[in-house]
């Protein structure tokens, strides 16, 4: 018969009801009556708990034995033998054992009866359990006849040729050994339901072979016990339970755990289930496979039947042997399939690894092999978003949606189901192509979400399942409307038609899919590695090209800039220069220095991107550094009419060790930016320091082994400027990216990016908080080491060199420089000091003149026609007389590797163009020991009064027309300095203050100050 509504009782419903069941399986509180149970306390084996049927066997009431030693029941010798067993690590090796006793036949009878019991002992958490059963027969488990019987059964099992034959042989041998009316081999399915795969029975009995049983027929707790204990006997289903005295454990007052008991009572649910089947006695033996419960040997008898202990142990041993054979048989049955799969896998793997970048094409060309791999009718190959369909499949759109569901809801490396629509209802639309799927997935999430999938499809396979009774009968509705489990009363064949289900995926097919995933993973990794190597090679080529380009551009820009700044410095040394020309020279110098700053920014960024940025640390005066920076920027702040405030906490130390140059650049950049974008109010620099533990800080410093205390220098630069929009908060730190307001100001957009990289290199970082149109606060932290004042080398006040002191040798200096203007600059500078100078334009001339003239020092350019400066230096050093001459590389190449290359070629030092003349002269003095004469008067320093005089107000502009003011405002916003100079020329001679002040601001790139004053003047007109 067929159910009118086969979906009413679902596996999930039955599982939920099973969980809610109140039946106790582990501690029922009673035992079966075919034996006795005693709970003993070691070491004296005192009886703490006992089954009440003891009086039936020993004639002594159970209550009278509580608290008594075991000697009340068995002789002293037997008890001592048991105590000896307890010294063993594993009590199982001592079980079973014989115990004998002697009692009167009746109280009024003088005759005595000798009885033999079979006993077993096992420990539990709170005591020792002794179980005894009366011996049922006198035959020995070790008799020749019994041994031959067991040996024959094992031989028959070994000769089985397949799984079906093995199961049938096992059922037959167990029936022969035990005499049960029916013996079945019961296999658990993946959903914990079961199916009878072999049966031996009396001829008149109805066959159960091929019938399926619900998972709830053997509930989860029972399955767990079957896994722990291999055998379970119920001699009489209609037995009267024997209570334990006392009911609970006397020491813990908890029900006694009978998980390991051979006599454990049976739940009422299972008793009723067996009674409904007509079974009067049963025995169940577990079959284990790879540490899981594979199945059961279920023995049924239709009258009470007690099998003796020896026979039960023999059947248990036979089941253990059969479990091993079951594994072997399954392996043998899978062997042919695995061989076929391996051939297909090897072919696919070999081809895929040869064409790792053509995965899709290879799989498409080998469609038959791909489908045969797991016996599928169709497949979908989805590689990084590109889909290919082969065989019978759903549509491309349906497959794409299915993959999304798999990734979102499953995310498993290997996923299989034979009823997709139960999990994914949308699959009902394509059940004819894909009622079952087997999918392998590879997901990469580290850089971008990349995924690779192969999904095999099986169509709907309408099939019938023979159930032992209607599954609907396992549930009943009680008087209050609740669903309850109940043992089925009918086990008549009941057929269920399974729809929207494919043939199930076998374990070997899942294994083949897993292997295919491993192969695909290898190919993907090989492909990814090849792609990464190609990308890395291209990136390296591009990086080298960029570095070469930057080095070339740096050299080409620095070389003429060296001449510009050098001659400017040289002219400034002359006292004969008219005062009006001094101002012009200042403009040239500041313009050149501004250009040099831009070049240096680009070079620093290239070092950062190439990962070549390093710390150059030294001891320095931190207070002096802060003072010099704020002093330098004071003029700029006053010209804009804003306050520059420094708030330095007393915790800030004076002498520190770190990268002074990088810290200077960070401070200059943060303060300059704050002043640039602030039109009214103030810019405030706050500094404080915190001492850190040396052990807790990891620094990439050459001084890392030093034990100097480490501090965190915390500085904030707060302004009352235009602020930063929320969406620009992080982009301000990106290279070449400026905010909307920043695009109207001068600069490369590199300053903040470089400064943050410097701060991170120094163990800290830079962050920002800002409110648009109100204020911004940049916070910087760097790590520095504390030093003593004696570590600081005091720098002399910069003075102008005017010549050499008397009574010194005549020092010969050779200038090697291919750029004529730079040669002329060096010759003029050095001769003006008093050195004897010769100059050449290439390496060949340098070697020839050096041999003839023997100079004390050579200033060596690097890039020259013919042989470069490196080779020229090497050739000089290779000669014996060339080892003592001082060679200083003087070059426009400014990278760290250029310095290293110079030293490696044999140079004593390296100076980068453009250079300060004082720096060059100091280097010469360092290597030759030269002593200079200096100009007595120091250069005048601008005081606060001078700075104030150079600031403009809106009132100063009102002497000009409103249209002129508007044109100046527009030119300042557009950074058009040429137009500004033309407009300044229109100012009447009597307004020289205005003209000179504007000219000064244009010369010093303070166009925002001009725009601000114009705006204020226009508002007051």
């Amino acid at each position: 018969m067929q159910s009118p509504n086969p979906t009413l009782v679902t596996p999930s419903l039955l599982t939920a009801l099973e969980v809610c069941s109140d039946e106790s399986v582990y501690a029922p509180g009673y035992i079966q009556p075919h034996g006795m149970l005693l709970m003993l306390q070691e070491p004296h084996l005192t009886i703490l708990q006992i089954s009440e049927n003891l009086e039936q066997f020993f004639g002594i009431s159970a209550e009278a034995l509580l608290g008594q030693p075991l000697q009340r029941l068995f002789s002293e010798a037997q008890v001592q033998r048991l105590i000896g067993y307890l010294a063993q690590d594993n009590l199982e090796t001592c079980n079973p054992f014989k115990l004998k006793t002697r009692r009167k036949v009746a109280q009024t009878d003088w005759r005595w009866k000798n009885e033999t019991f079979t006993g077993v002992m096992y420990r539990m958490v709170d005591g020792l359990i002794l179980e005894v059963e009366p011996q049922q027969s006198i035959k020995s488990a070790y008799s020749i006849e019994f041994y031959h019987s067991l040996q024959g059964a094992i031989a028959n099992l070994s000769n089985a040729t397949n799984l079906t034959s093995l199961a049938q042989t096992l059922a037959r041998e167990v029936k022969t050994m035990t005499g049960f009316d029916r013996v079945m081999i019961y296999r658990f399915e993946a959903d914990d339901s079961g199916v009878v795969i072999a049966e031996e029975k009396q001829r008149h009995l109805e066959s159960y072979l091929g019938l399926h049983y619900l998972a709830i027929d053997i509930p989860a707790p029972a399955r767990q016990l079957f896994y722990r204990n291999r055998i379970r006997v119920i001699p009489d289903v209609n037995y009267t339970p024997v209570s334990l005295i006392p009911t609970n454990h006397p020491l813990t007052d908890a029900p006694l755990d009978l998980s390991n008991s051979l006599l454990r009572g049976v739940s009422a649910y299972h008793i009723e289930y067996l009674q409904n089947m007509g079974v009067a006695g049963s025995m169940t033996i577990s079959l284990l496979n790879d540490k899981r419960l594979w199945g059961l040997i279920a023995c049924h008898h239709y009258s009470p039947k007690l099998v003796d202990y020896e026979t039960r142990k023999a059947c248990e041993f036979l089941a253990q042997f059969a479990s091993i054979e079951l594994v072997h048989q399954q392996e043998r049955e899978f062997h042919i399939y695995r061989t076929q799969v391996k051939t297909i896998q090897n072919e696919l793997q070999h081809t895929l690894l040869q064409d790792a970048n053509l995965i899709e094409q290879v799989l498409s060309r080998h469609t038959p092999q791909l489908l045969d791999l797991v016996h599928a009718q169709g497949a979908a190959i989805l590689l990084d978003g590109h889909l290919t369909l082969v065989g019978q499949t759903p549509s491309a759109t349906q497959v794409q949606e299915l993959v999304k569901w798999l990734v979102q809801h499953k995310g498993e490396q290997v996923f299989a189901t034979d009823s997709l629509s139960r999990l994914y209802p949308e699959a009902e639309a394509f059940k004819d192509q894909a009622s079952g799927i087997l999918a392998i997935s590879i997901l990469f999430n580290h850089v971008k979400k990349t995924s690779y999938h192969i999904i095999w499809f099986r169509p709907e396979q309408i099939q019938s399942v023979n159930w032992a009774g209607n599954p609907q009968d396992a549930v009943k509705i009680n008087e209050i409307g609740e669903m309850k489990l109940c043992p089925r009363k009918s086990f008549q064949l009941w057929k269920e038609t399974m729809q929207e289900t494919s043939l199930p995926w076998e374990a070997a097919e899942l294994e083949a899919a897993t292997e295919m995933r491993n192969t695909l993973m290898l190919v993907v990794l090989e492909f990814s590695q090849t792609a990464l190597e190609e990308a890395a090679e291209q990136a390296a080529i591009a990086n080298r090209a960029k570095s070469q380009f930057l080095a070339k551009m740096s050299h080409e820009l620095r070389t003429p800039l060296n001449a510009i700044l050098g001659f400017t410095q040289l002219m400034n040394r002359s006292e004969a220069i008219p005062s009006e020309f001094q101002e012009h020279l200042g403009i040239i110098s500041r313009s050149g220095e501004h250009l040099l700053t831009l070049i240096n920014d680009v070079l620093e960024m290239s070092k950062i991107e190439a990962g070549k940025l390093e710390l150059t640390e030294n001891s320095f005066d931190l207070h002096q550094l802060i003072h010099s920076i704020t002093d330098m920027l004071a003029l700029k702040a006053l010209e804009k009419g804003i306050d520059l405030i420094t708030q330095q906490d007393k915790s800030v130390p004076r002498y520190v060790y770190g990268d002074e140059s990088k810290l200077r650049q960070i401070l200059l950049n943060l303060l300059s930016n704050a002043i640039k974008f602030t039109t009214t109010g103030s810019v405030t620099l706050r500094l404080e320091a915190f001492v850190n533990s040396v052990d807790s800080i990891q620094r990439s410093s050459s001084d890392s082994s030093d034990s100097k205390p480490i501090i965190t220098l915390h500085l904030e630069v707060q302004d009352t400027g235009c602020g930063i929009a929320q969406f620009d908060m992080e982009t301000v730190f990106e290279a070449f990216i400026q905010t909307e307001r920043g695009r109207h100001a001068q600069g490369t957009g590199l300053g903040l990016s470089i400064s943050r990289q410097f701060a991170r290199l120094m163990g800290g970082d830079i962050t920002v908080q800002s409110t648009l149109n109100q204020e911004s606060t940049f916070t910087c932290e760097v790590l520095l080491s504390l030093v003593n004042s004696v570590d600081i080398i005091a720098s002399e006040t910069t003075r102008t060199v005017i010549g050499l002191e008397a009574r010194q040798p005549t020092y010969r200096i050779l200038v090697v420089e291919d750029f004529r203007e730079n040669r002329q600059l060096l010759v003029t500078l050095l001769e003006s000091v008093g050195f004897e100078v010769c100059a050449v334009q290439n390496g060949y001339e340098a070697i020839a003149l050096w041999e003839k003239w023997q100079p004390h020092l050579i200033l060596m350019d690097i890039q020259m026609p013919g042989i470069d400066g490196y080779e020229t230096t090497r050739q000089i050093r290779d000669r014996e007389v060339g080892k003592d001459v001082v060679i200083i590389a003087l070059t426009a190449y400014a990278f760290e590797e250029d310095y290293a290359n110079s030293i490696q070629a044999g140079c004593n030092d390296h100076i980068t163009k453009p250079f300060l003349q004082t720096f060059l002269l100091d280097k010469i003095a360092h290597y030759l020991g030269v002593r200079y004469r200096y100009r007595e008067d120091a250069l005048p320093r601008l005081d606060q009064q001078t700075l104030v005089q150079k600031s403009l107000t809106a009132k100063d502009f009102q002497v000009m027309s409103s249209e002129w003011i508007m044109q100046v405002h527009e030119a300042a916003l557009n950074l058009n300095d040429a137009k500004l100079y033309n407009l300044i020329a229109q100012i009447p001679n009597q307004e020289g203050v205005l003209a000179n002040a504007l000219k000064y601001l244009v010369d010093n790139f303070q166009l925002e100050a001009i725009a601000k004053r114009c705006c204020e003047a226009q508002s007051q007109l």
Side-chain angles (χ1 to χ4, degrees):
M1 58 184 291
Q2 185 169 339
S3 168
N5 186 6
T7 61
L8 177 62
V9 176
T10 63
S12 59
L13 171 63
L14 292 175
T15 301
L17 293 175
E18 174 188 352
V19 170
C20 296
S21 174
D22 293 328
E23 292 290 343
S24 175
V25 177
Y26 302 101
Y30 52 85
I31 64 171
Q32 299 180 64
H34 62 278
M36 295 164 286
L37 182 145
L38 299 92
M39 200 277 288
L40 308 174
Q41 186 177 32
E42 297 183 72
H44 304 297
L45 303 188
T46 304
I47 301 172
L48 297 183
Q49 198 171 5
I50 193 168
S51 59
E52 66 177 355
N53 64 340
L54 185 124
E55 185 174 0
Q56 172 186 341
F57 295 96
F58 289 92
I60 305 174
S61 69
E63 290 84 351
L65 288 170
L66 292 176
Q68 300 297 310
L70 191 60
Q71 286 91 328
R72 287 290 305 275
L73 297 177
F74 302 104
S75 68
E76 177 71 21
Q78 293 184 99
V79 172
Q80 289 302 317
R81 179 162 53 90
L82 296 186
I83 292 175
Y85 292 160
L86 295 177
Q88 302 293 323
D89 292 333
N90 184 5
L91 279 178
E92 187 63 29
T93 61
C94 304
N95 293 331
F97 46 81
K98 300 299 182 184
L99 291 172
K100 295 182 179 181
T101 188
R102 184 167 177 264
R103 69 182 179 89
K104 287 185 177 182
V105 175
Q107 291 293 333
T108 58
D109 198 332
W110 59 269
R111 291 174 299 170
W112 291 81
K113 179 181 180 182
N114 295 323
E115 288 195 72
T116 302
F117 297 90
T118 300
V120 295
M121 289 191 299
Y122 55 89
R123 282 192 173 92
M124 52 182 296
V125 176
D126 299 305
L128 176 73
I129 299 294
L130 170 65
E131 295 186 10
V132 293
E133 298 179 37
Q135 185 167 304
Q136 299 297 313
S137 64
I138 60 173
K139 71 176 182 179
S140 172
Y142 302 102
S143 66
I144 296 297
E145 179 183 353
F146 191 81
Y147 172 77
H148 284 167
S149 175
L150 185 59
Q151 185 180 46
I154 292 174
N156 292 336
L157 290 175
S158 300
N159 293 330
T161 57
N162 53 54
L163 185 61
T164 301
S165 172
L166 175 66
Q168 194 62 44
T169 301
L170 179 61
R172 183 174 61 253
E173 294 296 338
V174 172
K175 185 176 186 305
T176 300
M177 293 174 65
T178 62
F180 276 97
D181 292 335
R182 186 198 304 271
V183 176
M184 300 174 288
I185 307 302
Y186 182 91
R187 184 184 67 201
F188 287 105
E189 301 291 84
D191 60 356
D192 292 326
S193 65
V195 60
V196 178
I197 62 171
E199 179 185 55
E200 281 290 324
K201 64 178 183 64
Q202 298 290 358
R203 291 186 177 181
H204 67 278
L205 296 176
E206 177 187 4
S207 176
Y208 288 167
L209 183 64
L211 292 185
H212 288 250
Y213 290 78
L214 295 172
I216 196 61
D217 288 346
I218 304 177
R223 292 195 295 272
Q224 294 170 9
L225 282 179
F226 278 129
Y227 176 77
R228 290 175 56 181
N229 302 321
R230 292 176 181 265
I231 194 162
R232 174 77 158 131
V233 293
I234 308 175
D236 186 356
V237 167
N238 300 305
Y239 74 93
T240 300
V242 177
S243 300
L244 299 178
I245 301 175
T247 304
N248 289 344
H249 192 295
L251 300 181
T252 64
D253 196 31
L256 186 64
D257 184 358
L258 298 178
S259 299
N260 297 317
S261 173
L262 301 175
L263 303 171
R264 184 181 67 251
V266 187
S267 71
Y269 179 93
H270 189 57
I271 290 295
E272 185 178 352
Y273 183 87
L274 292 174
Q275 289 173 340
N276 291 343
M277 293 182 71
V279 175
S282 74
M283 181 174 72
T284 308
I285 310 167
S286 303
L287 295 170
L288 305 180
N289 176 10
D290 192 24
K291 297 184 179 181
R292 69 179 181 87
L293 185 62
W294 183 90
L296 300 172
I297 305 174
C299 306
H300 288 173
H301 211 66
Y302 295 92
S303 61
K305 183 175 180 60
L306 175 61
V307 178
D308 63 80
Y309 187 88
E310 291 79 4
T311 302
R312 298 198 312 254
K313 293 301 288 184
C315 290
E316 183 179 351
F317 173 77
L318 197 63
Q320 292 182 40
F321 180 81
S323 295
I324 297 173
E325 285 298 306
L326 285 170
V327 175
H328 290 168
Q329 286 293 347
Q330 285 183 329
E331 288 296 325
R332 283 192 284 269
E333 290 187 4
F334 287 157
H335 179 70
I336 295 176
Y337 173 70
R338 283 193 180 117
T339 302
Q340 296 172 345
V341 166
K342 194 64 178 175
T343 302
I344 296 172
Q345 283 177 337
N346 289 340
E347 182 179 353
L348 287 173
Q349 183 172 353
H350 178 73
T351 310
L352 282 169
L353 290 176
Q354 281 187 328
D355 298 317
N357 58 339
L358 299 173
I359 303 174
E360 180 183 346
Q361 292 88 327
V362 170
L363 293 176
S364 298
R365 288 199 307 266
H366 293 76
T367 297
Q369 294 93 324
L370 183 64
L371 298 181
D372 290 345
L373 190 68
V374 294
H375 301 138
Q377 281 70 50
I381 306 164
L382 184 62
L383 306 177
D384 197 11
H386 192 272
L387 177 63
T388 302
L389 302 177
V390 296
Q392 302 175 28
T393 70
S395 69
T397 302
Q398 290 170 330
V399 171
Q400 293 280 11
E401 292 300 318
L402 173 61
V403 170
K404 288 182 184 178
W405 175 80
L406 279 173
V407 172
Q408 293 174 0
H409 298 279
K410 294 301 174 183
E412 299 174 17
Q413 296 178 352
V414 179
F415 171 75
T417 177
D418 59 1
S419 184
L420 180 60
S421 60
R422 292 182 186 175
L423 305 173
Y424 180 60
E426 291 83 351
E428 185 178 359
F430 48 84
K431 63 181 181 180
D432 292 338
Q433 296 81 30
S435 282
I437 66 167
L438 171 56
I440 58 175
S441 300
I442 300 173
L443 305 175
F444 295 106
N445 294 316
H446 54 286
V447 178
K448 63 175 184 175
K449 289 190 176 180
T450 304
S451 61
Y452 299 81
H453 307 269
I454 298 179
I455 306 175
W456 288 277
F457 302 108
R458 282 181 178 173
E460 179 183 37
Q461 184 75 34
I462 298 177
Q463 52 188 315
S464 295
V465 177
N466 295 328
W467 291 99
N470 190 338
Q472 311 298 330
D473 294 340
V475 175
K476 68 178 180 179
I477 308 294
N478 65 13
E479 60 276 3
I480 61 174
E482 293 177 334
M483 286 188 178
K484 293 290 184 181
L485 289 174
C486 66
R488 298 196 305 281
K489 293 180 172 55
S490 171
F491 293 87
Q492 181 183 357
L493 175 64
W494 185 88
K495 291 186 177 182
E496 179 182 10
T497 301
M498 304 294 290
Q499 296 180 328
E500 297 179 18
T501 302
S502 70
L503 292 176
W505 302 97
E506 300 293 340
E509 292 163 345
L510 297 177
E511 181 182 313
T514 302
E515 286 297 317
M516 184 62 194
R517 184 185 182 277
N518 295 337
T519 299
L520 184 60
M521 175 70 84
L522 286 174
V523 175
V524 169
L525 291 177
E526 179 74 19
F527 172 70
S528 300
Q529 181 64 27
T530 303
L532 285 173
E533 288 174 356
E534 292 176 354
E537 183 178 355
Q538 292 297 324
I541 293 172
N543 196 49
R544 287 196 298 270
K546 183 180 73 172
S547 296
Q548 292 170 1
F549 170 77
L550 289 172
K552 179 69 174 176
M553 291 305 298
S554 169
H555 183 274
E556 295 303 316
L557 290 171
R558 285 173 179 270
T559 298
L561 191 58
N562 182 65
I564 294 171
L565 294 178
F567 276 110
T568 302
Q569 296 174 60
L570 196 60
M571 293 174 69
N572 270 323
R573 290 165 47 81
S574 173
E575 298 180 358
I577 299 295
S579 58
E580 64 270 20
F581 290 167
Q582 291 282 358
E583 185 176 354
H584 297 162
L585 290 173
I587 294 172
I588 295 172
S589 180
R590 285 189 295 274
S591 299
E593 290 171 0
H594 181 69
L595 178 59
L596 182 60
T597 299
L598 299 181
I599 295 170
N600 287 335
D601 279 353
V602 174
L603 291 178
E604 290 290 358
M605 183 52 62
S606 69
K607 292 178 187 177
I608 291 170
E609 291 178 350
K612 297 180 179 180
L613 196 63
E614 296 180 354
L615 291 177
T616 304
E617 297 180 307
N618 60 279
S619 300
F620 62 95
D621 187 331
L622 178 57
H623 290 190
Q624 178 60 35
L625 173 65
I626 296 167
H627 177 74
S628 65
I629 291 172
T630 54
D631 189 48
M632 183 189 311
L633 297 173
L635 172 62
K636 193 174 183 180
L638 283 170
E639 287 169 348
K640 298 192 67 176
I642 61 176
D643 296 324
L644 179 58
I645 304 168
T646 301
Q647 297 175 353
Q648 183 172 311
D649 189 78
K650 62 181 181 180
S651 62
V652 178
R654 179 167 186 175
Y655 302 110
V656 294
Y657 181 88
D659 195 320
E660 179 183 11
S661 175
K662 290 182 174 57
L663 180 57
R664 178 189 299 274
Q665 191 162 343
I666 291 171
L667 280 166
L668 278 173
N669 189 274
L670 294 180
L671 287 169
S672 297
N673 276 356
I675 294 171
K676 181 190 298 184
F677 294 106
T678 302
T679 55
T680 58
S682 63
V683 171
T684 302
L685 171 64
R686 300 185 184 91
L687 302 104
E688 58 182 330
F690 308 98
V691 178
N692 302 315
S693 169
V694 173
D695 296 334
S696 65
I697 303 296
Q698 298 293 328
R699 304 184 64 202
S700 57
S701 167
S702 60
D703 196 47
S704 60
S705 61
D706 204 339
S707 59
K708 298 171 182 175
I710 294 174
I711 65 163
T712 296
L713 179 64
H714 178 93
L715 60 94
E716 293 180 358
V717 176
Q718 183 179 24
D719 63 62
T720 57
C722 59
I724 304 171
Q726 189 64 36
F727 56 83
D728 282 329
M729 294 290 275
E730 278 302 315
T731 59
V732 295
F733 292 108
E734 295 183 21
F736 299 105
I737 295 180
Q738 296 173 306
T739 64
E740 184 64 30
R741 181 67 182 270
R743 297 187 188 100
H744 298 292
Q746 289 182 325
T748 58
L750 294 174
L752 282 175
S753 178
I754 293 172
S755 296
R756 172 176 265 190
Q757 294 298 329
F758 282 176
R760 288 176 173 175
L761 188 64
M762 297 174 72
D765 201 356
I766 299 178
T767 57
V768 61
Q769 291 183 335
S770 183
T771 303
L772 190 62
N773 298 322
Q774 291 186 26
E775 64 174 19
S776 296
T777 300
F778 283 83
T779 301
C780 173
E781 288 188 345
V782 295
L783 299 183
L784 300 170
S785 298
L786 292 176
V787 296
N788 299 319
S789 59
V790 295
D791 297 326
I792 307 296
I793 300 175
S795 60
E796 296 185 4
T797 304
T798 302
R799 294 181 292 169
T800 303
V801 175
I802 59 174
L804 298 174
E805 285 188 3
R807 293 185 296 278
Q808 293 189 85
T810 301
Y811 293 103
R812 298 181 300 277
I813 297 179
L814 174 60
V815 174
V816 186
E817 171 66 66
D818 67 324
F819 193 67
R820 183 175 62 85
E821 288 80 1
N822 282 336
R823 279 202 313 276
Q824 182 182 349
L825 167 65
L826 289 168
V827 170
T828 303
L829 169 64
L830 296 173
E831 286 182 342
S832 70
V833 173
F835 294 108
E836 186 176 340
V837 185
C838 283
V840 295
Q841 62 180 350
N842 60 57
Y844 296 114
E845 294 178 1
I847 295 172
L849 185 57
W850 164 77
E851 289 181 327
K852 177 181 177 181
W853 192 47
Q854 291 297 303
H856 297 90
L857 183 143
I858 301 174
L859 296 176
M860 181 72 70
D861 190 21
I862 296 300
Q863 180 174 314
M864 296 182 296
I867 58 174
D868 61 17
Y870 298 139
E871 182 59 29
T872 303
T873 300
R874 278 191 285 266
Q875 290 193 26
I876 293 174
R877 293 297 190 202
D878 286 343
R879 307 185 188 191
E880 188 63 31
V881 292
K883 298 187 184 303
D884 297 329
V885 63
V886 176
I887 303 177
I888 298 176
L890 186 58
T891 174
Y893 287 119
F895 289 95
E896 292 290 339
E897 58 264 29
D898 298 318
Y899 176 83
N901 292 338
S902 299
I903 301 303
Q904 188 176 3
C907 294
N908 299 86
D909 213 327
H910 179 282
I911 299 176
T912 302
K913 301 174 185 175
F915 58 86
L916 291 174
Q917 293 179 6
T918 54
F919 185 75
L920 173 62
L921 295 175
D922 284 345
K923 286 289 186 183
I924 294 174
H926 173 74
Y927 285 104
L928 298 183
V930 176
R931 301 187 305 277
Y932 297 119
R933 291 184 297 111
Y934 298 94
R935 181 182 293 165
E936 291 298 329
D937 54 325
L939 291 175
R941 177 169 171 169
L942 289 175
D943 56 17
Q944 292 290 76
Q945 184 61 31
T946 306
L947 295 176
V948 171
Q949 289 176 355
K950 289 187 177 293
S951 63
L952 287 174
T953 65
K955 186 177 180 181
D956 294 328
F957 282 82
Q958 292 177 1
V959 298
M960 303 300 292
S961 67
S962 59
E963 182 165 342
W964 182 89
I965 296 173
M966 183 179 65
Q967 291 181 26
V968 171
H969 183 251
E970 182 180 346
L973 290 177
N974 292 331
L975 309 180
N976 191 339
D977 54 351
K979 186 175 181 180
L980 285 170
Y981 282 126
N982 289 334
L983 290 168
I984 292 171
Q986 298 176 18
I987 299 174
N989 292 335
Q990 63 269 26
E991 302 296 338
V993 174
L994 174 62
N996 290 334
L998 282 175
K999 189 170 179 297
Y1000 178 85
L1001 292 176
V1002 175
D1003 292 343
N1004 288 275
F1005 316 108
Q1006 300 301 314
L1007 304 188
E1008 67 271 25
I1010 297 175
K1012 175 186 175 184
R1013 297 297 178 261
C1014 287
C1015 189
E1016 293 173 354
Q1018 286 175 317
S1019 65
Q1020 295 177 13
L1021 289 176

